[in-house]
Amino acid sequence: MKSKEKPKYNTVQNISWMVKIAWDIRKRVLLFCALTAILEVLLNLTQLYIAPEVLGRVEQKAPMWMLLTTIAVFTAALFLVNGFLEYVKQNTLFARVDVRSAIIGKAAEKCNMTSYPNTLDAGFIKMREKAHLACEGNGQATEHIWQTLTMCREISTVCLLSMNISVSADSMLLKNIGGMIAYLTILSRIDAVLLLVVIATCLAGFFVSRHTNNWRYARREEEEQYFQKKNYLRKKSESVEVAKDIRIFGLQDWLNELLDQIHDLYLDFSLRCERVEVLADITEAVLTIARNGIAYVYLINMALNEGLSVSEFLLYFTAVTTFTAWVMGILQEMSALHKESLDISRLREFLDYPEPFRFEDGEDIPIAESYELKLENVSFRYPGAETDTIHGLNLTVRPGEKLAIVGLNGAGKTTLVKLLCGLLDPTEGAVMLNGKDIRGFNRKRYYDLFSAVFQEFSVLDVTVAEQIAQTTAGIDYAKIADCVEKAGLASTIEKLPKGLETHVGREVHLDGVLFSGGQTQRLMLARALYKNGPILLLDEPTAALDPIAENDIYMKYSEMTSGKTSLFISHRLASTRFCNRIIFVADGGIKEEGTHESLLALGGEYANLFEVQSRYYQEGKEF
C-alpha cells in the first residue's frame, strides 16, 4: 500500500501562518472570530435556560409581573445577542474575503514571477492547481478555517463562562476538554450510565460521519477533475479562437459527446457518494433515536419517581441534546480543521516551491554602454527528453550586431533565444553577459535588458495604448505613436473608432475590436519597441504577414534596431539579408555561419533551403 505523503506544515503552523496574514491584512478578522464565538455561546446559553426558567416561575406560582419580567429579560437578551451576532457575521465576511484575496495575490505573484522553467514543470503545475483550489471560494480552506476556528473558540468560551477557568489560546485540546467539562457540570445530577450512553452514541456517530467524509475527501481529486474538464470544454466552446473551427468542422456534436461522457462519469461518481452518505445518515438517525429515547426514558423515570420538575426535565433533556451537539461539533470541527490544514499546507508548499533562478538576492546588472552575450559550450535538454535540443554550442553576439538565427522547424532556434534571454538555464555550459555568468545576476533585472516578440504572445482586453505601454499610468503617447509607425500599424490605428483608446478584444469590453493575426503581430512589435531594451529579440515576427507587409517591416528593420543588439529568428531566409550575420542551426548546433551572400556562395544547406523557398515566388516554376 502506498504511504500517505506527510504534509510539510502541521495544523498549528498553518493556523499561525493564517493568523499572521490576518494580523498584517485585516486584524479585525481575529476580533470578529472572538466576538462571534462569545455571542454564539451567549445565544446558546440563553436559549438553553429560557424555557426552564419560565416554566420554573410557573411551577413556583410566581407573580405575573415576575413571570413577564423573566420573559422580557430573556426576550431582550435574545434580541440583542442575536442582532449583534448577525451584525458581526455580516462584517466578518468581508474581512475574511480580504484575507483570502491577499492569499490569492500571493499565489498569483508566485505564478507570474516564478522562474520560467517552473512553468514547464509538471510538479509545479499540479501543485499550482491545488493551491488555487484552496482559495478559490468562500467555502475553501483559506477562508472557511476562520469559521472552523470560531467553533473551537466557542468551546473555550463556554468553559470560561461556566467554569471561570483559563485556557491557553493555542491549546486546541484544552479548549475541547473545557467545553465538555462545562456541559458535564450542568448535567452533574444525571446518572453516569446515561452520560456514557450519550458519549458512546456521539462517538459512534462521529466515526460513521468521519468515515463518510474521509471517503469523499479521498476522492476529491477525482471530483475536481470532472469539474475541471467540464469548465475546460465550456470555455473552449465559448471562446472566440475556436468559434470558426466549431462551425467549419461541425464540432458541436463532438463537444456535446465529450461533455456527456464527463457528465456520465460524474453522475456515476455522485451515485457512489450518495449510497455511502445515505447509509451514514441512516446509521446516525438510528443512533440519535436511541440516544434521545434512552434520555427520555431516564428523565421520565426521574420525574415520576424522584420528583423531577417539568422545568428541570426540559433543562436536562435540552442539555443532553446540546451536549451531544457540542461533542459532535468538537470532533467534526477538529476533523475539518485537519483537512483544511492539509489544503493550506499544499498552498504554502506551492508558495515555497524552489526557484532555480536568483532574483532579489542576485547581483545588479552592471551599467554599460553596450552588452555582449556569449554561449560557452552550452547544452540544453528539456525535462523528460532523451536527447539534447542544444548540444555543445558556442556563440558570441557582439554589441550592436544584427544576428539572424535560421533553420528548420524543431532545430532549436527558439530554445537558443530563450537561453540567451535567461528564460532557461543551460544543463551544461554557461550564458555570459559581458564576461559574467548570468546565473549570478538578479534575473528580473536581467530581463530588463530585453525587448521581445515571441511566437506565442499575450493580448489583454485593454486599450491599444495600454497594450503597447503595458501600464495604465504615465503613458508616453508620443513614443507610442513613433513605435506604432515603425511597426507599420499607424494606418490601422487611425481607422479605429477611438484610436489608441480603443479596446482590444471582446471578452471584457463589448466595444472592443478584434485584430487579425498580422495586426496583432505588429502590435506586439510596437510593444517591444516601446520597452526600448538594449537587446531586441524577434522570434518569427512576420510569420502572420503577407509578403508585401513583410517587406515593409524589413525596410524599417535597420531603423527599428538602430543602436541595439538584435536577434532575428526566421524560417523565411529572404528576411536574413538585412542582418550582419546569419547562423544556420541544425541538429542542436551551428552548421553554417556567414552573411546571406557568403552562405549562398557556400552552396550548403542554407543555400539549398533558400532555393526551395524562392521557387514559391518565381513564376513558371514547376514543383
Side-chain angles (χ1 to χ4, degrees):
M1 178 181 290
K2 184 178 179 181
S3 60
K4 294 183 179 179
E5 184 179 354
K6 185 178 179 179
K8 182 177 179 180
Y9 301 100
N10 61 39
T11 302
V12 174
Q13 290 172 324
N14 289 326
I15 293 174
S16 300
W17 185 74
M18 290 294 300
V19 168
K20 183 179 184 303
I21 293 178
W23 184 263
D24 294 337
I25 303 299
R26 288 289 182 272
K27 295 181 177 64
R28 57 182 178 174
V29 167
L30 306 176
L31 173 63
F32 285 160
C33 279
L35 284 175
T36 301
I38 293 171
L39 292 170
E40 287 279 8
V41 171
L42 287 175
L43 183 63
N44 184 277
L45 292 176
T46 304
Q47 292 171 337
L48 175 65
Y49 280 99
I50 182 171
E53 287 295 323
V54 171
L55 286 174
R57 297 289 185 273
V58 173
E59 289 178 327
Q60 297 167 6
K61 298 181 180 181
M64 181 61 68
W65 66 267
M66 185 178 294
L67 179 63
L68 294 177
T69 300
T70 301
I71 295 174
V73 169
F74 275 100
T75 302
L78 285 174
F79 178 80
L80 292 174
V81 173
N82 204 34
F84 194 28
L85 177 61
E86 289 302 316
Y87 172 81
V88 171
K89 283 183 176 180
Q90 288 294 325
N91 283 275
T92 193
L93 173 63
F94 301 108
R96 292 175 181 178
V97 170
D98 285 343
V99 174
R100 179 167 61 86
S101 297
I103 295 173
I104 291 174
K106 290 178 179 291
E109 182 179 6
K110 181 67 173 183
C111 291
N112 295 334
M113 301 306 296
T114 191
S115 303
Y116 182 76
N118 283 347
T119 66
L120 309 176
D121 183 0
F124 178 87
I125 294 171
K126 185 175 182 180
M127 197 170 288
R128 180 187 64 195
E129 296 303 318
K130 291 181 181 295
H132 287 322
L133 287 172
C135 52
E136 68 175 1
N138 301 105
Q140 301 303 324
T142 49
E143 184 173 334
H144 191 269
I145 191 172
W146 301 116
Q147 184 173 337
T148 306
L149 288 172
T150 300
M151 173 64 190
C152 295
R153 292 173 187 271
E154 289 172 5
I155 308 302
S156 176
T157 311
V158 171
C159 178
L160 290 170
L161 292 176
S162 303
M163 302 292 294
N164 291 319
I165 60 175
S166 176
V167 294
S168 169
D170 296 324
S171 177
M172 200 69 70
L173 180 60
L174 289 179
K175 290 178 182 179
N176 297 331
I177 294 175
M180 286 189 290
I181 291 174
Y183 269 83
L184 285 172
T185 302
I186 297 174
L187 299 172
S188 59
R189 289 183 56 188
I190 295 180
D191 194 321
V193 175
L194 178 60
L195 284 179
L196 290 176
V197 170
V198 172
I199 294 173
T201 54
C202 285
L203 291 174
F206 166 72
F207 286 117
V208 171
S209 176
R210 189 179 69 168
H211 171 74
T212 304
N213 292 335
N214 288 346
W215 188 91
R216 183 93 183 226
Y217 188 81
R219 291 157 180 80
R220 187 178 58 161
E221 290 191 14
E222 179 184 351
E223 185 175 19
E224 290 168 355
Q225 287 177 1
Y226 296 135
F227 284 112
Q228 288 173 356
K229 290 177 180 178
K230 290 172 72 173
N231 289 334
Y232 172 79
L233 286 175
R234 180 185 63 79
K235 290 179 181 178
K236 280 296 182 181
S237 62
E238 295 175 357
S239 67
V240 176
E241 294 82 1
V242 187
K244 296 188 291 295
D245 292 337
I246 290 175
R247 286 151 181 80
I248 296 298
F249 291 97
L251 300 182
Q252 185 60 46
D253 291 340
W254 180 47
L255 291 172
N256 286 337
E257 289 175 6
L258 293 174
L259 189 60
D260 288 342
Q261 291 174 6
I262 297 170
H263 180 73
D264 290 342
L265 290 172
Y266 180 67
L267 181 61
D268 178 68
F269 171 81
S270 298
L271 290 174
R272 283 185 285 137
C273 292
E274 287 179 5
R275 284 194 291 269
V276 173
E277 290 170 355
V278 166
L279 182 61
D281 290 341
I282 292 174
T283 304
E284 289 186 22
V286 170
L287 291 171
T288 301
I289 292 171
R291 178 174 58 248
N292 291 347
I294 293 173
Y296 261 125
V297 170
Y298 176 78
L299 293 174
I300 289 174
N301 181 66
M302 287 184 64
L304 295 175
N305 301 319
E306 300 180 22
L308 186 69
S309 67
V310 175
S311 59
E312 289 176 320
F313 177 92
L314 181 60
L315 173 64
Y316 289 137
F317 184 76
T318 305
V320 167
T321 306
T322 308
F323 176 76
T324 301
W326 278 104
V327 173
M328 289 291 292
I330 293 168
L331 298 173
Q332 290 173 353
E333 294 301 325
M334 288 296 292
S335 178
L337 185 63
H338 174 67
K339 293 174 183 177
E340 289 170 351
S341 176
L342 292 177
D343 291 342
I344 293 173
S345 182
R346 282 194 285 261
L347 167 66
R348 295 181 66 188
E349 288 171 36
F350 168 72
L351 297 177
D352 294 341
Y353 202 86
E355 296 291 346
F357 296 167
R358 299 181 68 179
F359 290 101
E360 301 304 325
D361 63 333
E363 299 178 27
D364 288 334
I365 302 297
I367 299 175
E369 294 182 0
S370 59
Y371 296 94
E372 177 189 80
L373 290 171
K374 190 173 184 180
L375 302 181
E376 294 185 346
N377 197 32
V378 165
S379 296
F380 180 80
R381 180 179 298 187
Y382 285 98
E386 296 181 356
T387 58
D388 292 341
T389 302
I390 300 292
H391 184 73
L393 191 145
N394 291 283
L395 173 67
T396 300
V397 183
R398 295 179 286 273
E401 183 178 21
K402 298 176 178 60
L403 176 67
I405 304 172
V406 301
L408 297 174
N409 289 337
K413 304 186 298 296
T414 298
T415 300
L416 176 58
V417 168
K418 288 180 179 179
L419 288 166
L420 285 167
C421 68
L423 290 175
L424 299 173
D425 274 348
T427 49
E428 293 182 12
V431 180
M432 314 293 286
L433 177 73
N434 286 357
K436 285 190 174 183
D437 193 325
I438 68 169
R439 281 173 283 210
F441 291 127
N442 179 326
R443 195 60 62 99
K444 187 177 179 181
R445 298 282 76 83
Y446 181 73
Y447 294 148
D448 291 340
L449 299 176
F450 297 87
S451 296
V453 178
F454 295 109
Q455 291 185 46
E456 298 177 356
F457 36 76
S458 58
V459 180
L460 300 180
D461 276 27
V462 296
T463 67
V464 175
E466 291 170 348
Q467 196 78 243
I468 295 172
Q470 297 288 281
T471 184
T472 58
I475 298 176
D476 187 339
Y477 283 89
K479 185 178 178 181
I480 285 182
D482 180 60
C483 295
V484 164
E485 180 65 33
K486 289 179 179 178
L489 197 61
S491 60
T492 301
I493 301 299
E494 291 172 358
K495 297 175 184 177
L496 296 178
K498 297 181 182 179
L500 290 172
E501 298 306 316
T502 303
H503 289 101
V504 181
R506 293 177 182 166
E507 292 187 23
V508 177
H509 303 280
L510 298 179
D511 62 343
V513 298
L514 299 176
F515 280 174
S516 67
Q519 290 171 334
T520 304
Q521 206 157 34
R522 289 176 182 269
L523 182 66
M524 295 298 100
L525 180 57
R527 183 179 72 173
L529 295 174
Y530 185 90
K531 184 183 178 184
N532 198 30
I535 304 172
L536 181 63
L537 303 177
L538 302 176
D539 190 352
E540 301 285 3
T542 60
L545 301 180
D546 58 69
I548 296 176
E550 182 181 33
N551 183 69
D552 178 56
I553 292 292
Y554 295 155
M555 296 301 291
K556 297 178 180 179
Y557 185 66
S558 294
E559 181 184 0
M560 286 188 292
T561 59
S562 177
K564 301 178 183 296
T565 302
S566 62
L567 303 173
F568 185 85
I569 302 176
S570 180
H571 67 276
R572 296 180 182 178
L573 303 190
S575 64
T576 59
R577 64 184 66 191
F578 301 96
C579 297
N580 306 127
R581 181 165 55 122
I582 302 165
I583 59 173
F584 186 86
V585 179
D587 300 327
I590 299 174
K591 284 297 185 69
E592 298 176 7
E593 182 177 355
T595 63
H596 177 70
E597 290 74 16
S598 66
L599 290 176
L600 288 180
L602 183 64
E605 293 185 44
Y606 179 91
N608 292 334
L609 185 57
F610 180 79
E611 173 63 21
V612 171
Q613 291 185 0
S614 65
R615 292 178 186 175
Y616 290 96
Y617 298 97
Q618 297 178 25
E619 296 182 3
K621 288 286 186 180
E622 295 182 0
F623 300 97

